Amino acid sequence: MNKLILIQFGEKVRAKRLEQGLSQEELAEKANVHRTYIGMVERAEKNITLLNIAKIANALNISIAHLFSHSELAEDWAEELIRICHKYNIEVTNLPAILQDPKVLPMIRGKSFEFSTLAQFLDFLAGTQWQVNKLVLNPQFGHLDEDITMTHLPTKTKITIECKLAAKGRYRVVRENNKRYFQIDVKCMRSRTLGEKKVTVLAPKLGVSEDSLKIHNDQYRQTDFDIVVTSIANAFYVTDSNTGLYEWQPKTSATEFFNILFSANELNIEQAEIQRNLAFQQIYIARSQDITTCANNGIVCTRRKCQNPYNCGFIPNYPIISFDLATGNVLPPWFKLSDCLPLLESFL
C-alpha cells in the first residue's frame, strides 16, 4: 500500500478510535489482532492486509470504505470551523493567509503540538493508572499555564508537562570520540521576559536573587514544570527568503538522519510529504531536572553575566537532544514518548 495512503488510513483509524473512547489495546482486542498492531497501523508502520482492514472496520462498527474516506471527518471539521469563525468575526476565506502569517503560525503550531502530545499520552498510558488532561487556561503574566497535567491515580501524584517544539533550522552533525551524533536544539524559554516589578515579586518565591532572575528573565526554573516534551520536526523548517513563509527544507545531513531513524521500521521516505509526516510523529520526553544547569549533569549556562554558570538552576533556552547516528537511538536524558513509563514512575 502507498505510504501516503497508510498515513491517511492510520489517521482515520486513530480518529475513530478516540471518538469511541477506545485505547489502542482495547481496539486490538476487539479486532482480534496483536496488542501493538493498532499503534503500528496508526503510525503508518505496517503495510496492513485486507483481512485486518476488515477486522478493524468491524471492531469500529464502520464500513471499510469509511476508513478510506475523509469526507465525513472533513464535513464535521468544516462545520465547526465555520461556526467558530462566525462567533469571532473571522472571514473563513482569509484563514489560509492568517494561518500562514509568520507572526501567527508559530503560536498555532505550538498549541497544536500540545494536543498531539496529549493524544500520544492517552494512547500509551493505561487509563486505569493515569489521568491525562489539557485544561483551557488564560494565565496571568509571570505565571505558568500547564500545557498538560497528568495524575497517577493510585498515588494521586500530579505531573506537569511543558510542550516545546524544536528550534527552527537548528540541527547539526557532531563528532565526539570517533562517534557521530545528530543534535537538535529545543526552543525552551518563556514567551515573554520578566519586567523589573515582576522580578521583584517572583525572586523570593523562586528562592533566587533579583540580580540572578534579571539575568535569566526569559528562562525557566527546574521547578516550573516536571517534564518537557518536544517534537523534532520543527527543526527542519526554514523561512523562505522570497515569501517569508515557513517551508519544509531539510538539508542532506537531515536526510541521512531520517534514513537511520526510520530504518528499523523499514519505511520508505523518498517522498517529502511522507518524510515530514513521519518526523511529526517523533516525540521525545525529558525530566526538567535533567536539562537544568547544575553540577550533576554537566550542562553549562551560556549567559555571559551568569555568576554561577555550572549550577545556576535555570534551564537553557535551547536544551540539546542528541541521537546516535549509528543507530538512530535518542540519548539520555531524552526518551521516546512511547518509552515514557519508567520516566513517569520516577516521580512516584
Side-chain angles (χ1 to χ4, degrees):
M1 189 183 295
N2 178 279
K3 293 298 187 213
L4 187 54
I5 295 176
L6 280 177
I7 291 171
Q8 294 173 340
F9 179 83
E11 289 174 348
K12 191 62 180 286
V13 169
R14 180 171 173 276
K16 297 305 294 185
R17 174 179 62 77
L18 293 175
E19 182 182 303
Q20 297 181 25
L22 297 172
S23 68
Q24 290 180 339
E25 290 192 5
E26 288 170 337
L27 178 55
E29 184 177 353
K30 290 186 67 174
N32 193 28
V33 296
H34 190 271
R35 63 183 182 84
T36 63
Y37 188 82
I38 298 299
M40 296 176 71
V41 168
E42 292 183 2
R43 296 189 297 274
E45 297 174 357
K46 201 73 176 174
N47 197 355
I48 187 169
T49 65
L50 181 60
L51 176 60
N52 283 339
I53 290 173
K55 287 182 177 181
I56 292 173
N58 184 61
L60 291 170
N61 196 30
I62 57 178
S63 67
I64 292 177
H66 186 78
L67 281 176
F68 287 94
S69 170
H70 287 247
S71 59
E72 178 183 312
L73 189 63
E75 289 173 5
D76 292 344
W77 174 85
E79 183 177 328
E80 179 66 6
L81 182 62
I82 291 171
R83 184 191 69 80
I84 293 171
C85 286
H86 286 170
K87 180 178 179 180
Y88 295 107
N89 193 30
I90 299 170
E91 291 290 340
V92 176
T93 53
N94 292 333
L95 273 182
I98 294 171
L99 291 173
Q100 291 191 91
D101 188 294
K103 293 182 293 185
V104 176
L105 186 59
M107 181 173 59
I108 293 176
R109 294 191 66 226
K111 185 60 63 176
S112 176
F113 175 54
E114 294 173 18
F115 285 94
S116 299
T117 300
L118 174 69
Q120 287 215 20
F121 274 125
L122 290 172
D123 285 346
F124 288 114
L125 297 178
T128 56
Q129 295 291 308
W130 296 92
Q131 182 180 46
V132 188
N133 295 310
K134 174 160 180 50
L135 303 177
V136 178
L137 297 172
N138 187 15
Q140 297 298 312
F141 182 51
H143 293 77
L144 291 169
D145 64 331
E146 297 174 355
D147 291 344
I148 297 173
T149 303
M150 61 173 59
T151 303
H152 183 244
L153 296 176
T155 64
K156 308 302 181 184
T157 301
K158 179 182 175 182
I159 300 174
T160 57
I161 298 167
E162 185 75 10
C163 298
K164 295 294 184 182
L165 292 173
K168 179 168 62 72
R170 295 186 54 156
Y171 59 90
R172 63 208 156 267
V173 175
V174 300
R175 183 182 292 273
E176 296 178 5
N177 300 321
N178 295 321
K179 293 192 68 175
R180 296 169 70 239
Y181 301 94
F182 194 85
Q183 293 184 340
I184 297 173
D185 294 336
V186 178
K187 189 176 182 181
C188 188
M189 63 188 76
R190 295 177 183 272
S191 58
R192 291 178 287 183
T193 58
L194 302 175
E196 289 192 13
K197 290 184 178 180
K198 188 58 64 174
V199 165
T200 301
V201 173
L202 287 181
K205 294 181 180 180
L206 296 175
V208 298
S209 69
E210 289 187 29
D211 287 341
S212 178
L213 192 54
K214 287 178 182 177
I215 293 169
H216 302 277
N217 66 358
D218 63 343
Q219 292 182 279
Y220 291 116
R221 296 279 291 176
Q222 172 188 324
T223 52
D224 286 338
F225 41 80
D226 299 309
I227 285 173
V228 177
V229 176
T230 189
S231 165
I232 66 172
N234 197 57
F236 308 105
Y237 280 84
V238 299
T239 301
D240 187 284
S241 58
N242 295 318
T243 65
L245 301 180
Y246 295 133
E247 302 292 349
W248 174 265
Q249 292 181 8
K251 300 175 184 177
T252 302
S253 60
T255 301
E256 177 192 5
F257 169 61
F258 290 150
N259 278 315
I260 295 170
L261 185 65
F262 302 133
S263 62
N265 297 323
E266 299 180 351
L267 294 172
N268 182 349
I269 60 170
E270 293 179 353
Q271 298 180 48
E273 186 171 356
I274 295 172
Q275 186 184 72
R276 186 173 64 245
N277 275 281
L278 293 175
F280 283 142
Q281 297 171 15
Q282 308 307 306
I283 297 180
Y284 299 91
I285 179 173
R287 297 188 304 177
S288 62
Q289 68 186 65
D290 294 329
I291 61 171
T292 299
T293 300
C294 68
N296 295 332
N297 58 23
I299 297 176
V300 180
C301 181
T302 58
R303 290 292 163 96
R304 183 171 55 86
K305 295 183 178 181
C306 180
Q307 300 299 307
N308 191 10
Y310 296 97
N311 199 26
C312 66
F314 287 90
I315 296 175
N317 286 152
Y318 295 97
I320 296 172
I321 178 169
S322 295
F323 298 82
D324 186 334
L325 263 180
T327 63
N329 293 333
V330 66
L331 302 181
W334 294 91
F335 299 88
K336 292 177 66 175
L337 188 143
S338 55
D339 298 327
C340 69
L341 198 54
L343 186 146
L344 296 180
E345 290 175 344
S346 70
F347 290 94
L348 306 182

